[in-house]
Amino acid sequence: MKKFNPLKYAALYEEERKKIDKMLASSLKKRKPKSLYEPASYILQSSGKRLRPLLVLLSAKAAGGKFKDVYNAAVAVEIMHNFTLVHDDIMDNADLRRGNQTLHKKYDLNTAILAGDSLLSIAYEFLLKDCNGNTKAAVSAFTQGLIEVCEGQSMDTDFETRNDVQLKEYIVMITKKTAAMAKMCCELGAILVDGKKSDIKSLSNYGLNLGIAFQIQDDLLDIIGEVDKFGKTVGGDLIAGKKTFLFIKAFEKAEGQDKIDLQKMMDNKGIKPEEVQHYKNIFEKLGVLEDAKNEIRKYTNRALSSIDMISKKSETGIFHWLADSLIKRNR
């Protein structure tokens, strides 16, 4: 991995994250009715990483533009991302998101659905503010990202009723559900500043591969994370009966009692919280935690190979820093 100045890039990230937070906080102010926009504001104000807006900003700059050209688009992707989280949490019946109550738990189901729908509409409103002669390409990329997220979520739901999910199917699912959004953010930033086709492709591939690595890291953190840092229930995927990279890999490798126990999780559509440690022990014994780490490195390296092909070589450092930060994250 290239040498980079972590303090410089971390400071830039924090500076831009605060700007995005400020824009998000004001995005729904003075809108009525409060019964709709207060719940929508609640989800936007939770302290996310703002990774997706950062990808829009960085990609625009890497493709020859400036941050100021795409701030509204950066806000748009974060609002759209939160729209997907609201509905994802409803489908998963999740209690926590980023350490806070999920929207449907704090309010109610109908309020959460309607607030989520309003966020999607507002996301398009913000996107159009940064569109000029490239409106069709930008809106098309934005919409395709959303379509793939929905397809990925549907696949994820289908997996809940299947006991024969293959690893290659899982990779397709997370490519759509998680990586397609990161890909879209990189593509969108470059499109909006009229970047070269070759740069748009390199940035797009960076986002795609980084997104896959990010999701597998999320699967890993579900087992090895600490609840106060992770912001979600540790072992929550197992409790919910989700077939993650770790589970599918373990089921492929398991024999004897381990195989029986893993099958039991699928048959029962999840496990009890007190059983999480037992399943973690199975994962450790089968080496799937290390398998996951190797897979994260593989996709991260693919992302870095792609970003190193952009025209403005001076802009590659921060993309390397970002990839390194995501690999080492604990939440």
Side-chain angles (χ1 to χ4, degrees):
M1 194 172 277
K2 283 189 174 182
K3 289 184 179 180
F4 47 76
N5 185 335
L7 294 178
K8 172 187 172 184
Y9 294 142
L12 176 64
Y13 166 67
E14 283 302 316
E15 181 183 346
E16 295 306 321
R17 188 170 67 84
K18 287 176 182 176
K19 289 178 184 176
I20 295 297
D21 281 343
K22 189 174 180 180
M23 289 183 72
L24 287 167
S26 64
S27 64
L28 304 181
K29 273 188 177 179
K30 299 181 180 179
R31 294 192 188 231
K32 294 181 180 180
K34 285 188 176 181
S35 58
L36 173 63
Y37 292 114
E38 280 187 358
S41 295
Y42 169 76
I43 191 68
L44 292 181
Q45 288 166 11
S46 57
S47 56
K49 290 179 277 294
R50 313 307 188 204
L51 169 64
R52 291 154 192 86
L54 183 68
L55 288 174
V56 175
L57 297 175
L58 295 181
S59 296
K61 192 164 186 287
K66 297 178 180 177
F67 288 174
K68 68 180 181 64
D69 299 328
V70 294
Y71 274 122
N72 289 303
V75 169
V77 300
E78 184 64 17
I79 293 175
M80 197 227 297
H81 172 57
N82 279 273
F83 150 76
T84 68
L85 296 183
V86 170
H87 290 112
D88 198 17
D89 287 340
I90 290 170
M91 293 177 74
D92 290 345
N93 197 29
D95 294 325
L96 294 175
R97 168 67 66 179
R98 299 165 180 163
N100 299 319
Q101 271 189 300
T102 50
L103 195 62
H104 66 284
K105 292 292 184 181
K106 182 174 176 64
Y107 294 91
D108 58 67
L109 191 60
N110 289 343
T111 298
I113 291 171
L114 194 56
D117 291 345
S118 73
L119 289 176
L120 180 58
S121 304
I122 293 165
Y124 274 96
E125 182 180 274
F126 270 85
L127 172 65
L128 290 170
K129 292 178 182 180
D130 283 344
C131 291
N132 294 302
N134 44 34
T135 302
K136 184 176 180 180
V139 172
S140 177
F142 193 76
T143 304
Q144 185 59 36
L146 177 59
I147 289 170
E148 293 205 49
V149 169
C150 293
E151 290 174 350
Q153 179 63 29
S154 182
M155 290 181 69
D156 196 17
T157 303
D158 289 343
F159 290 175
E160 292 176 11
T161 58
R162 286 180 49 196
N163 289 353
D164 59 346
V165 180
Q166 302 296 307
L167 207 52
K168 62 182 180 181
E169 293 179 282
Y170 178 77
I171 296 298
V172 171
M173 185 273 288
I174 65 171
T175 297
K176 288 178 174 290
K177 184 177 175 180
T178 303
M181 184 77 83
K183 174 188 174 185
M184 178 271 284
C185 292
C186 294
E187 190 176 2
L188 183 64
I191 287 172
L192 287 171
V193 299
D194 298 319
K196 296 178 183 176
K197 286 185 178 180
S198 59
D199 286 339
I200 294 173
K201 184 177 180 181
S202 294
L203 287 159
S204 175
N205 286 336
Y206 172 85
L208 182 73
N209 286 290
L210 190 69
I212 295 172
F214 181 90
Q215 183 56 58
I216 298 173
Q217 176 80 344
D218 216 44
D219 291 354
L220 182 62
L221 287 174
D222 184 72
I223 291 297
I224 67 172
E226 299 172 26
V227 69
D228 58 327
K229 295 178 180 177
F230 189 41
K232 292 188 279 188
T233 304
V234 174
D237 288 340
L238 282 167
I239 294 168
K242 294 183 76 68
K243 299 174 183 74
T244 63
F245 177 91
L246 298 170
F247 182 86
I248 296 168
K249 192 71 174 176
F251 196 72
E252 283 181 358
K253 299 172 80 170
E255 296 177 347
Q257 188 60 47
D258 291 338
K259 192 88 167 182
I260 292 170
D261 288 349
L262 292 170
Q263 181 66 51
K264 191 185 298 180
M265 191 221 76
M266 290 193 287
D267 293 342
N268 295 336
K269 309 297 182 188
I271 63 171
K272 297 175 182 176
E274 58 267 26
E275 295 177 298
V276 169
Q277 186 60 51
H278 172 65
Y279 281 83
K280 181 179 178 180
N281 292 341
I282 293 175
F283 288 173
E284 287 176 338
K285 181 169 63 173
L286 295 174
V288 298
L289 302 185
E290 204 55 45
D291 289 337
K293 291 174 185 177
N294 290 335
E295 205 75 358
I296 293 163
R297 281 190 286 268
K298 180 180 82 175
Y299 283 104
T300 301
N301 287 335
R302 286 183 184 178
L304 296 178
S305 295
S306 296
I307 203 62
D308 286 341
M309 295 172 69
I310 62 171
S311 305
K312 292 183 72 175
K313 303 301 181 188
S314 60
E315 297 297 327
T316 60
I318 194 163
F319 289 95
H320 278 255
W321 167 80
L322 181 61
D324 185 67
S325 300
L326 291 177
I327 290 174
K328 293 177 180 175
R329 70 191 171 102
N330 56 20
R331 61 186 177 90

